[in-house]
Amino acid sequence: MPKLLLPAALLSFVLAESAFAAPPTPEKSAPVPAVAALDAIIAKLGDTDFRKRDDATRRLEAEGLKALPALKKALGHPDAEVRRRVYDLIPRIEIGAFVSPRRVTLKMSDKPLRAILDEITKQTGQKIEFWTTPNMAQQSHDCDFKDVPLWEAIDWICRDAKLVVQPSYNGDERITLQNQGGYTPHVHHAGAFRFVPVGFQMVRNTNFGLVGNSSSSGHRNETLTLTFQVFSEPRIPMLGVGEVRLTAAYDSNKNTMLAPANNNPLGDAVFFGGGMGGMMMRQQFISGFGNGNRSHMQQSQFQLNRPSEAATKLKVVRGELPITLLVEQKAIVVSDNILKAKGKKTSAGSTTFSFEDVTAQPNKQYQIKLHITESNKDNPNDWTWMNTMLQRIELQDDKGNKFQQYGTSWGGSGPNTVQMTLTYGAPPNGKIGKPSKFVFQQWRTIQHLVRFEFKDLPLP
């Protein structure tokens, strides 16, 4: 069965239509059904007045999931402008539902930290661990959250209990908090995403030039780089981030700190694509699989200009970050008898597996040699898909227990081809049968643009 990472966002037409039936109103003897009301708004997407078209777009987007059935029906609308706007609205609403944050409403007084975190887990389904001393774990805390996004609740607790959110690099679906005697400042929340500036790095160079050569005078240049981390709720795995696009940056003396624009013929054009595709942002291709490292923390950076050394702070910086998100994974059994798979070739969607050899080793380990190719017409030069293989391939026994991977070698790699040798053995607990199923997780990804802002960051 496929594992859907999307929430109940893609509801059936029946459930969706029954969910937004309009309540009766005393002013009208016969209330307008919600479906008819939505159809009327959709019709305005083709109005001759652009203001009414834009207003209808905003109203439908605000309805969110409740508008999806009517919008999908309108894909066949006779008006071309209506069809175009509906076509744009549907993925925006679906992505908006997927990245909508889990929310917390909780009021507790004089309770230990574990009790508060357990209640947050009960409301959101998010597992939360914390590492601290037994005495600190038993200290009492108060909280009062009213419909607060999960990350805002977590950071409030971190400030109160002096905890720090630990990065995750391996796709762990837990949030881990650790006592470090303080908390992280300057955090920015953007729905289900959390931005944390790490620090500035300033590099200054001076070129002395040539004495006596008027055309070779000395000059100085410097770069100021801000590194930051972005966290997602673990239920929304990130595969990678693209290039930051800054929209504003000012120091404490009101000077702009935006770096000079490069001579990019595309300007700031951003092209989005999902699935096996990708997007181009300021001449940088972002793979549909990001960098292949599934996690809920990614790190990035951007450069700034420092026009005045008298300024002591970066007063404000605003930007947009494209993020590659994993929205769906579906387990496909490539071989249901791996020990007899030698010489066989099987496809799973656009990925083809050719098993060259499968051997049992003397140490009760199993070695699988295979050739994997990817049919990626959207981007035939994408090398990054192969980075995801180790997170998407599993060897199981006939009961679904997973073998542990003990070694991997790569060879014969190209943009859409790779030769792999995988070595598997029993997991540490040793409770596993003979290898049976070779399983591949088929991924569906999207590109999502997240806006962020940092304020009052001390300059070096």
Side-chain angles (χ1 to χ4, degrees), residues 43-314:
K44 291 181 180 179
L45 294 175
D47 198 281
T48 55
D49 187 337
F50 77 92
R51 291 168 296 185
K52 292 183 179 180
R53 295 197 300 269
D54 290 348
D55 179 65
T57 300
R58 286 191 293 269
R59 291 174 64 186
L60 289 165
E61 194 166 6
E63 288 292 333
L65 298 178
K66 294 184 291 185
L68 275 181
L71 286 170
K72 290 179 178 179
K73 183 180 177 181
L75 285 170
H77 199 280
D79 189 303
E81 178 65 12
V82 171
R83 293 197 305 271
R84 184 188 70 80
R85 290 189 176 240
V86 166
Y87 185 82
D88 290 340
L89 269 171
I90 290 174
R92 274 161 48 189
I93 290 173
E94 291 180 342
I95 293 173
F98 178 60
V99 299
S100 179
R102 298 284 171 85
R103 308 187 79 88
V104 179
T105 296
L106 179 63
K107 186 172 184 178
M108 300 180 77
S109 300
D110 199 26
K111 296 293 183 181
L113 186 60
R114 181 72 273 167
I116 295 175
L117 295 178
D118 285 347
E119 185 59 34
I120 292 177
T121 296
K122 186 183 299 184
Q123 289 190 24
T124 63
Q126 176 58 58
K127 296 179 182 178
I128 306 170
E129 289 187 355
F130 66 95
W131 304 338
T132 185
T133 64
N135 289 338
M136 292 190 68
Q138 294 302 317
Q139 289 180 1
S140 297
H141 299 271
D142 301 336
C143 68
D144 189 359
F145 305 132
K146 295 180 181 179
D147 198 32
V148 171
L150 174 61
W151 276 125
E152 291 188 28
I154 292 294
D155 275 307
W156 188 95
I157 291 170
C158 286
R159 289 192 296 271
D160 193 54
K162 293 183 172 58
L163 298 171
V164 175
V165 177
Q166 296 301 297
S168 167
Y169 299 95
N170 59 1
D172 191 350
E173 295 187 354
R174 296 168 294 180
I175 292 177
T176 302
L177 312 177
Q178 184 176 16
N179 173 251
Q180 294 185 358
Y183 61 91
T184 305
H186 310 298
V187 177
H188 174 75
H189 300 105
F193 300 90
R194 173 182 186 264
F195 288 79
V196 180
V198 175
F200 284 111
Q201 180 184 46
M202 189 167 73
V203 178
R204 178 176 294 170
N205 299 305
T206 300
N207 187 323
F208 297 132
L210 298 175
V211 175
N213 187 335
S214 60
S215 64
S216 179
S217 59
H219 65 275
R220 187 184 73 179
N221 64 76
E222 64 182 36
T223 60
L224 179 65
T225 303
L226 177 64
T227 299
F228 66 94
Q229 297 172 334
V230 55
F231 294 76
S232 66
E233 291 184 18
R235 66 182 176 83
I236 308 176
M238 295 186 291
L239 297 177
V241 298
E243 183 180 350
V244 174
R245 176 181 177 271
L246 296 182
T247 56
Y250 296 95
D251 65 19
S252 51
N253 290 342
K254 300 183 179 180
N255 300 302
T256 181
M257 295 186 70
L258 290 177
N262 58 17
N263 295 321
N264 181 0
L266 295 178
D268 288 330
V270 179
F271 301 95
F272 288 96
M276 295 297 298
M279 69 179 174
M280 183 76 73
M281 184 169 184
R282 296 173 66 182
Q283 289 188 311
Q284 178 183 6
F285 179 80
I286 309 302
S287 166
F289 291 123
N291 57 24
N293 177 30
R294 172 180 171 170
S295 71
H296 69 268
M297 194 285 287
Q298 297 281 337
Q299 187 159 298
S300 187
Q301 61 185 26
F302 55 83
Q303 287 191 350
L304 294 164
N305 182 42
R306 189 172 187 182
S308 172
E309 294 188 6
T312 58
K313 291 183 178 181
L314 170 60

